[in-house]
Amino acid sequence: MPLARITTLIALVLIAVPAATVHAATRMPVGFFDDPSFRWSPSRSQNLAAAAAAGATVVHTTANWAALAPTRPVHPSDPDDPAYQLGDLDELVREASRYGLRVMIDVTGTPKWANGGQTPNHMPKNLGDFATFVRLLALRYDGRNPGKGEVSLWSVWNEPNLNLFLTPQFSGKKIVSVSNYAKLYKVAYAAIKSENPLAQVAAGETSARGRDRRIAGQSDTVAPGTFAKLLARIRGIHFDAWAQHPYPTNRTAKPLEKVQYPNVTLSQLPTFEKSLASEFHRKVPIWITEFGYETKPTQPRGVTLAQQSAYAKQALTIARNDPDVQMFCWFTFRDNPGNPWKSGLESTSGSPKPSLAPFEYLAHSIDGTTVQVKAGRPVGPIPIFVPYLTFYNPVGSLVGITYRVVDNTGKLITAGEPQGNLAPDGSVTFTPTFVAAKGHTYTVTATVNDANGNLQTRMTTITVS
């Protein structure tokens, strides 16, 4: 796609004010996980722009400790230590906001110098080394460092319920991966929150399935439901969401294929959500940080292009109808010769697959945030995330806000033009002036502008309990 065309599309996405719908839909960030396209491709800027035009407002990326610090830093707290190779991550975090995209970072993988020369799926010898690395990233991307961008969405360790990414899973017949993960998670959570209190941190990043027992000749795995249940028994675990990868159990299975819990594909999300609420004694938001279908002919065992289109539409609709799901990231955006997964919505040439159009339509209609309020009470402050404006303005900048609130009948409830200041997490907060009524939902459309005429329009659904 020509760059001029992409730029035009991005401008339309950022400026357009969607018409109010009669029935306010649950809203959440929608985006992609695709480091080869967004960090390492010569066309990475064009790819980010095209992803934003396709309705994305979040990019999931990996901070692989083993790759970003392949040798031991002499000064581990100094990001300018020559051992750190942060250039491509820096660029993504900085440039994503240019296209109105927030960044979510998953920190994972141990370098050899930190685990005795072993593969990245082994625990570090000293948890303090991991904490130092995570703290460095959290401080670097806390929104207060000019030119570095901001990250306020985090998760810890990729698929720790699989031996492929965290070993060992068992000691004899006992599951030990959960306790090891808890050690990693606790120090990472504390490091992130210490440097960036506004950050949201997800636990889990769990794969859809596991066996919960050792089978000779097969890699050890633990089911995500089991993993979460055991993690709940460990004291001191705090998190803002659970990140889950509810892939089907094989490349061609339908999105709602029946699986046996404690495995968690899309069909078992409701059961998983009830279990999380019971185990952790609160409602737990779900971030779907990986989901996708590979396509033929580039993946001979994948689904057809028509099937990918139908399944993408179905998966997004399932997520949209689940009030506990608060993020959805498709893996990947574009097929890439360096990426064995061929689940992109675009081919390697950049031509759209049939799945791109329905994904784009749904992404634009779903994207935003959802806030729950109490009936009969004045609505409190509402945060609006405007990463596009953070590209041009430092933290604390004064911005203008023009907002409208309509209820589920389409009636205009209130409107206003307050001002606010950009927070370090890329948000601006304002308080609409009305009292929430029982049985109603409300849609807030807010356009935020800076002194130079840059603007971004965002939407929020307010549900009432």
Side-chain angles (χ1 to χ4, degrees):
M1 184 181 293
L3 182 57
R5 170 62 173 157
I6 292 174
T7 304
T8 301
L9 286 171
I10 295 300
L12 290 173
V13 170
L14 294 176
I15 295 174
V17 180
T21 55
V22 174
H23 299 289
T26 299
R27 294 185 176 276
M28 60 184 167
V30 177
F32 298 98
F33 177 20
D34 191 351
D35 283 346
S37 293
F38 300 146
R39 284 171 65 176
W40 309 318
S41 169
S43 303
R44 53 192 178 273
S45 292
Q46 292 93 327
N47 293 341
L48 284 170
T57 55
V58 64
V59 174
H60 171 191
T61 191
T62 297
N64 186 334
W65 185 24
L68 298 178
T71 59
R72 181 186 290 274
V74 176
H75 304 288
S77 296
D78 182 2
D80 294 323
D81 188 293
Y84 287 119
Q85 299 180 12
L86 300 173
D88 61 304
L89 183 59
D90 281 350
E91 181 181 326
L92 174 64
V93 173
R94 181 182 66 250
E95 290 297 305
S97 60
R98 183 195 295 268
Y99 304 106
L101 298 161
R102 300 177 73 190
V103 175
M104 191 209 93
I105 289 181
D106 173 31
V107 188
T108 193
T110 311
K112 289 184 177 182
W113 59 262
N115 65 11
Q118 302 185 89
T119 51
N121 59 340
H122 286 80
M123 291 282 291
K125 298 289 185 181
N126 182 354
L127 286 169
D129 291 333
F130 183 54
T132 298
F133 174 69
V134 177
R135 186 175 294 109
L136 175 149
L137 293 181
L139 178 60
R140 190 172 182 82
Y141 306 131
D142 71 351
R144 296 179 173 89
N145 293 306
K148 291 295 186 288
E150 68 83 20
V151 177
S152 54
L153 301 170
W154 297 82
S155 62
V156 182
W157 219 265
N158 180 61
E159 298 188 343
N161 59 323
L162 303 185
N163 191 71
L164 178 64
F165 296 106
L166 185 61
T167 191
Q169 291 286 314
F170 295 88
S171 177
K173 294 183 178 180
K174 181 182 178 182
I175 296 172
V176 297
S177 56
V178 178
S179 59
N180 283 336
Y181 175 74
K183 296 173 185 176
L184 292 165
Y185 181 82
K186 283 182 179 180
V187 299
Y189 178 90
I192 293 167
K193 292 288 189 175
S194 69
E195 301 297 344
N196 189 351
L198 295 177
Q200 291 183 292
V201 186
E205 288 287 356
T206 37
S207 172
R209 53 183 173 155
R211 287 182 290 271
D212 291 347
R213 61 189 179 91
R214 311 190 81 170
I215 299 177
Q218 297 191 38
S219 182
D220 291 337
T221 59
V222 175
T226 303
F227 196 91
K229 183 176 181 178
L230 294 176
L231 188 66
R233 298 176 183 175
I234 298 175
R235 300 181 67 178
I237 298 294
H238 307 285
F239 57 88
D240 299 295
W242 188 276
Q244 178 63 16
H245 305 170
Y247 286 106
T249 57
N250 65 65
R251 284 184 170 94
T252 60
K254 295 179 180 181
L256 284 178
E257 66 161 335
K258 300 300 181 183
V259 299
Q260 186 173 355
Y261 191 80
N263 292 317
V264 181
T265 58
L266 287 177
S267 65
Q268 286 291 359
L269 271 184
T271 301
F272 188 43
E273 290 158 0
K274 290 178 182 178
S275 178
L276 288 172
S278 174
E279 296 294 341
F280 290 99
H281 310 293
R282 63 183 177 89
K283 187 174 183 179
V284 175
I286 298 291
W287 294 356
I288 296 177
T289 50
E290 277 193 48
F291 186 85
Y293 278 91
E294 295 185 90
T295 57
K296 299 175 180 178
T298 49
Q299 171 48 261
R301 293 180 294 169
V303 299
T304 66
L305 294 175
Q307 286 174 323
Q308 186 198 47
S309 179
Y311 294 167
K313 181 179 179 180
Q314 185 179 4
L316 270 171
T317 301
I318 292 167
R320 180 188 199 181
N321 293 336
D322 186 333
D324 288 348
V325 176
Q326 296 185 8
M327 184 188 297
F328 185 101
C329 290
W330 184 272
F331 186 81
T332 58
F333 175 64
R334 174 178 288 183
D335 289 349
N336 189 293
N339 185 355
W341 272 81
K342 307 303 180 186
S343 54
L345 304 184
E346 292 186 350
S347 67
T348 54
S349 68
S351 60
K353 296 180 184 179
S355 53
L356 181 61
F359 186 97
E360 179 176 347
Y361 173 80
L362 282 168
H364 282 302
S365 64
I366 295 170
D367 179 72
T369 53
T370 299
V371 175
Q372 188 173 66
V373 301
K374 294 291 186 181
R377 298 181 185 178
V379 174
I382 294 178
I384 301 293
F385 292 94
V386 285
Y388 179 66
L389 297 187
T390 69
F391 184 80
Y392 296 99
N393 300 275
V395 169
S397 294
L398 184 68
V399 294
I401 306 161
T402 301
Y403 75 86
R404 289 167 49 89
V405 180
V406 299
D407 69 6
N408 47 297
T409 69
K411 178 183 177 181
L412 177 65
I413 301 301
T414 187
E417 295 186 352
Q419 292 182 321
N421 299 96
L422 286 178
D425 64 349
S427 70
V428 60
T429 302
F430 69 96
T431 302
T433 55
F434 74 101
V435 174
K438 187 176 181 180
H440 286 238
T441 56
Y442 303 90
T443 298
V444 182
T445 302
T447 298
V448 185
N449 64 278
D450 66 13
N452 296 315
N454 300 302
L455 55 87
Q456 186 169 11
T457 296
R458 309 295 295 126
M459 300 187 74
T460 297
T461 292
I462 299 176
T463 61
V464 184
S465 61

